[in-house]
Short mmCIF file of all heavy atoms in Angstrom, two decimals:
data_model
loop_
_atom_site.label_atom_id
_atom_site.label_comp_id
_atom_site.label_asym_id
_atom_site.label_seq_id
_atom_site.Cartn_x
_atom_site.Cartn_y
_atom_site.Cartn_z
N ALA A 1 -22.13 14.12 -19.03
CA ALA A 1 -21.23 12.97 -19.04
C ALA A 1 -20.07 13.19 -18.07
O ALA A 1 -19.67 12.27 -17.36
CB ALA A 1 -20.70 12.73 -20.46
N GLU A 2 -19.56 14.40 -18.03
CA GLU A 2 -18.45 14.70 -17.12
C GLU A 2 -18.88 14.60 -15.66
O GLU A 2 -18.10 14.18 -14.82
CB GLU A 2 -17.88 16.08 -17.42
CG GLU A 2 -16.58 16.33 -16.68
CD GLU A 2 -15.91 17.62 -17.10
OE1 GLU A 2 -16.34 18.28 -18.07
OE2 GLU A 2 -14.91 17.98 -16.45
N ARG A 3 -20.13 14.94 -15.36
CA ARG A 3 -20.63 14.77 -13.98
C ARG A 3 -20.53 13.31 -13.55
O ARG A 3 -20.10 13.01 -12.45
CB ARG A 3 -22.09 15.21 -13.89
CG ARG A 3 -22.27 16.64 -13.61
CD ARG A 3 -23.75 16.95 -13.31
NE ARG A 3 -24.00 18.31 -13.66
CZ ARG A 3 -24.82 18.74 -14.61
NH1 ARG A 3 -25.53 17.87 -15.29
NH2 ARG A 3 -24.94 20.00 -14.88
N MET A 4 -20.96 12.41 -14.44
CA MET A 4 -20.88 10.98 -14.10
C MET A 4 -19.44 10.56 -13.88
O MET A 4 -19.14 9.87 -12.92
CB MET A 4 -21.47 10.13 -15.23
CG MET A 4 -22.95 10.10 -15.30
SD MET A 4 -23.50 8.81 -16.43
CE MET A 4 -22.68 9.22 -17.96
N GLN A 5 -18.57 10.95 -14.79
CA GLN A 5 -17.18 10.55 -14.67
C GLN A 5 -16.54 11.15 -13.41
O GLN A 5 -15.78 10.48 -12.72
CB GLN A 5 -16.37 10.97 -15.90
CG GLN A 5 -14.95 10.43 -15.85
CD GLN A 5 -14.06 11.08 -16.87
OE1 GLN A 5 -14.04 12.29 -17.00
NE2 GLN A 5 -13.31 10.26 -17.58
N THR A 6 -16.88 12.37 -13.09
CA THR A 6 -16.34 13.02 -11.89
C THR A 6 -16.76 12.26 -10.64
O THR A 6 -15.94 12.01 -9.75
CB THR A 6 -16.79 14.49 -11.81
OG1 THR A 6 -16.25 15.18 -12.94
CG2 THR A 6 -16.31 15.15 -10.53
N HIS A 7 -18.03 11.87 -10.57
CA HIS A 7 -18.49 11.08 -9.42
C HIS A 7 -17.72 9.77 -9.32
O HIS A 7 -17.32 9.35 -8.23
CB HIS A 7 -19.99 10.82 -9.49
CG HIS A 7 -20.83 12.01 -9.23
ND1 HIS A 7 -20.79 12.71 -8.05
CD2 HIS A 7 -21.75 12.64 -10.01
CE1 HIS A 7 -21.65 13.72 -8.11
NE2 HIS A 7 -22.23 13.70 -9.29
N GLY A 8 -17.52 9.10 -10.45
CA GLY A 8 -16.76 7.85 -10.46
C GLY A 8 -15.32 8.06 -10.01
O GLY A 8 -14.77 7.27 -9.23
N ARG A 9 -14.68 9.13 -10.49
CA ARG A 9 -13.29 9.41 -10.10
C ARG A 9 -13.21 9.71 -8.60
O ARG A 9 -12.32 9.19 -7.92
CB ARG A 9 -12.75 10.60 -10.90
CG ARG A 9 -11.31 10.95 -10.56
CD ARG A 9 -10.79 12.12 -11.36
NE ARG A 9 -11.65 13.27 -11.43
CZ ARG A 9 -11.78 14.19 -10.46
NH1 ARG A 9 -11.10 14.09 -9.35
NH2 ARG A 9 -12.60 15.21 -10.61
N ILE A 10 -14.14 10.48 -8.07
CA ILE A 10 -14.13 10.79 -6.63
C ILE A 10 -14.35 9.52 -5.81
O ILE A 10 -13.69 9.31 -4.79
CB ILE A 10 -15.17 11.88 -6.30
CG1 ILE A 10 -14.71 13.22 -6.91
CG2 ILE A 10 -15.38 12.00 -4.80
CD1 ILE A 10 -15.77 14.31 -6.87
N MET A 11 -15.26 8.67 -6.28
CA MET A 11 -15.47 7.38 -5.59
C MET A 11 -14.18 6.58 -5.58
O MET A 11 -13.81 5.98 -4.57
CB MET A 11 -16.58 6.58 -6.27
CG MET A 11 -17.96 7.13 -6.03
SD MET A 11 -19.23 6.27 -7.01
CE MET A 11 -19.10 4.61 -6.39
N ALA A 12 -13.48 6.55 -6.72
CA ALA A 12 -12.23 5.80 -6.81
C ALA A 12 -11.17 6.38 -5.89
O ALA A 12 -10.48 5.64 -5.18
CB ALA A 12 -11.72 5.79 -8.26
N GLU A 13 -11.04 7.70 -5.87
CA GLU A 13 -10.04 8.34 -5.01
C GLU A 13 -10.27 8.03 -3.53
O GLU A 13 -9.32 7.91 -2.76
CB GLU A 13 -10.06 9.86 -5.22
CG GLU A 13 -9.48 10.28 -6.55
CD GLU A 13 -9.73 11.76 -6.86
OE1 GLU A 13 -10.53 12.42 -6.16
OE2 GLU A 13 -9.12 12.25 -7.83
N ASN A 14 -11.53 7.86 -3.16
CA ASN A 14 -11.88 7.61 -1.75
C ASN A 14 -12.04 6.14 -1.41
O ASN A 14 -12.33 5.80 -0.27
CB ASN A 14 -13.16 8.37 -1.39
CG ASN A 14 -12.94 9.86 -1.39
OD1 ASN A 14 -12.03 10.36 -0.75
ND2 ASN A 14 -13.77 10.58 -2.12
N SER A 15 -11.85 5.27 -2.39
CA SER A 15 -12.07 3.84 -2.12
C SER A 15 -10.81 3.18 -1.59
O SER A 15 -9.70 3.52 -1.99
CB SER A 15 -12.56 3.14 -3.38
OG SER A 15 -11.54 2.45 -4.04
N PRO A 16 -10.97 2.20 -0.70
CA PRO A 16 -9.80 1.47 -0.20
C PRO A 16 -9.13 0.64 -1.29
O PRO A 16 -7.95 0.32 -1.17
CB PRO A 16 -10.37 0.58 0.91
CG PRO A 16 -11.84 0.63 0.80
CD PRO A 16 -12.21 1.79 -0.07
N TYR A 17 -9.84 0.31 -2.36
CA TYR A 17 -9.26 -0.47 -3.44
C TYR A 17 -8.48 0.43 -4.41
O TYR A 17 -7.32 0.17 -4.72
CB TYR A 17 -10.37 -1.22 -4.19
CG TYR A 17 -9.88 -2.03 -5.37
CD1 TYR A 17 -9.22 -3.24 -5.19
CD2 TYR A 17 -10.06 -1.58 -6.67
CE1 TYR A 17 -8.75 -3.98 -6.27
CE2 TYR A 17 -9.60 -2.31 -7.76
CZ TYR A 17 -8.94 -3.51 -7.54
OH TYR A 17 -8.49 -4.24 -8.62
N PHE A 18 -9.13 1.48 -4.91
CA PHE A 18 -8.50 2.33 -5.92
C PHE A 18 -7.60 3.41 -5.33
O PHE A 18 -6.64 3.82 -5.99
CB PHE A 18 -9.58 3.02 -6.78
CG PHE A 18 -10.25 2.10 -7.75
CD1 PHE A 18 -11.59 1.77 -7.60
CD2 PHE A 18 -9.57 1.59 -8.84
CE1 PHE A 18 -12.23 0.94 -8.50
CE2 PHE A 18 -10.21 0.76 -9.75
CZ PHE A 18 -11.54 0.44 -9.58
N GLY A 19 -7.90 3.91 -4.15
CA GLY A 19 -7.14 5.00 -3.55
C GLY A 19 -5.63 4.79 -3.58
O GLY A 19 -4.88 5.65 -4.06
N PRO A 20 -5.14 3.64 -3.09
CA PRO A 20 -3.69 3.39 -3.14
C PRO A 20 -3.12 3.35 -4.56
O PRO A 20 -1.95 3.65 -4.76
CB PRO A 20 -3.54 2.03 -2.45
CG PRO A 20 -4.75 1.90 -1.58
CD PRO A 20 -5.85 2.61 -2.32
N MET A 21 -3.95 3.01 -5.55
CA MET A 21 -3.47 2.99 -6.93
C MET A 21 -3.16 4.40 -7.42
O MET A 21 -2.24 4.59 -8.22
CB MET A 21 -4.50 2.33 -7.85
CG MET A 21 -4.66 0.84 -7.64
SD MET A 21 -5.83 0.22 -8.86
CE MET A 21 -6.31 -1.31 -8.10
N PHE A 22 -3.95 5.38 -6.97
CA PHE A 22 -3.64 6.78 -7.32
C PHE A 22 -2.30 7.17 -6.70
O PHE A 22 -1.47 7.79 -7.35
CB PHE A 22 -4.73 7.73 -6.80
CG PHE A 22 -5.93 7.83 -7.69
CD1 PHE A 22 -7.12 7.23 -7.33
CD2 PHE A 22 -5.88 8.57 -8.87
CE1 PHE A 22 -8.24 7.35 -8.13
CE2 PHE A 22 -7.00 8.69 -9.68
CZ PHE A 22 -8.19 8.07 -9.31
N GLU A 23 -2.12 6.79 -5.44
CA GLU A 23 -0.89 7.15 -4.72
C GLU A 23 0.34 6.51 -5.35
O GLU A 23 1.40 7.14 -5.42
CB GLU A 23 -1.01 6.76 -3.25
CG GLU A 23 -2.06 7.57 -2.50
CD GLU A 23 -2.36 7.04 -1.11
OE1 GLU A 23 -1.56 6.25 -0.57
OE2 GLU A 23 -3.41 7.42 -0.56
N SER A 24 0.22 5.28 -5.83
CA SER A 24 1.37 4.59 -6.42
C SER A 24 1.62 4.97 -7.88
O SER A 24 2.65 4.63 -8.44
CB SER A 24 1.18 3.07 -6.32
OG SER A 24 0.17 2.65 -7.24
N GLY A 25 0.65 5.64 -8.49
CA GLY A 25 0.78 6.01 -9.90
C GLY A 25 0.23 4.98 -10.87
O GLY A 25 0.28 5.18 -12.08
N GLU A 26 -0.30 3.85 -10.36
CA GLU A 26 -0.91 2.84 -11.24
C GLU A 26 -2.15 3.39 -11.92
O GLU A 26 -2.52 2.97 -13.00
CB GLU A 26 -1.34 1.61 -10.44
CG GLU A 26 -0.25 0.72 -9.94
CD GLU A 26 -0.84 -0.42 -9.13
OE1 GLU A 26 -1.61 -1.21 -9.71
OE2 GLU A 26 -0.55 -0.51 -7.93
N LEU A 27 -2.82 4.31 -11.23
CA LEU A 27 -4.07 4.88 -11.70
C LEU A 27 -3.89 6.39 -11.76
O LEU A 27 -3.41 6.99 -10.80
CB LEU A 27 -5.18 4.51 -10.71
CG LEU A 27 -6.63 4.78 -11.08
CD1 LEU A 27 -7.02 4.01 -12.34
CD2 LEU A 27 -7.54 4.37 -9.93
N ASN A 28 -4.23 6.97 -12.91
CA ASN A 28 -4.11 8.42 -12.97
C ASN A 28 -5.26 9.02 -13.76
O ASN A 28 -5.92 8.33 -14.54
CB ASN A 28 -2.75 8.87 -13.52
CG ASN A 28 -2.57 8.52 -14.98
OD1 ASN A 28 -3.43 8.77 -15.81
ND2 ASN A 28 -1.43 7.94 -15.30
N TYR A 29 -5.47 10.29 -13.51
CA TYR A 29 -6.53 11.03 -14.20
C TYR A 29 -5.88 12.18 -14.97
O TYR A 29 -5.20 13.01 -14.39
CB TYR A 29 -7.55 11.57 -13.20
CG TYR A 29 -8.66 12.34 -13.88
CD1 TYR A 29 -9.60 11.67 -14.65
CD2 TYR A 29 -8.75 13.72 -13.75
CE1 TYR A 29 -10.61 12.37 -15.29
CE2 TYR A 29 -9.77 14.41 -14.39
CZ TYR A 29 -10.69 13.73 -15.15
OH TYR A 29 -11.70 14.42 -15.78
N ASN A 30 -6.10 12.19 -16.28
CA ASN A 30 -5.59 13.26 -17.12
C ASN A 30 -6.67 14.33 -17.23
O ASN A 30 -7.72 14.11 -17.86
CB ASN A 30 -5.23 12.71 -18.51
CG ASN A 30 -4.64 13.75 -19.41
OD1 ASN A 30 -5.14 14.86 -19.52
ND2 ASN A 30 -3.57 13.37 -20.09
#
């Protein structure tokens, strides 16, 4: 299950949509 979530998180970090959300703090990973 963590493999799937990790792939999704990496996709989000590298996406033009989600990437800026990580930078602004709107999106975070605990």
Side-chain angles (χ1 to χ4, degrees):
E2 190 172 352
R3 273 189 207 116
M4 284 192 303
Q5 186 193 47
T6 297
H7 288 300
R9 181 180 47 79
I10 291 169
M11 287 173 62
E13 288 170 349
N14 292 308
S15 100
Y17 178 76
F18 287 112
M21 291 183 199
F22 278 106
E23 293 170 17
S24 72
E26 288 178 62
L27 190 61
N28 67 49
Y29 180 70
N30 183 314

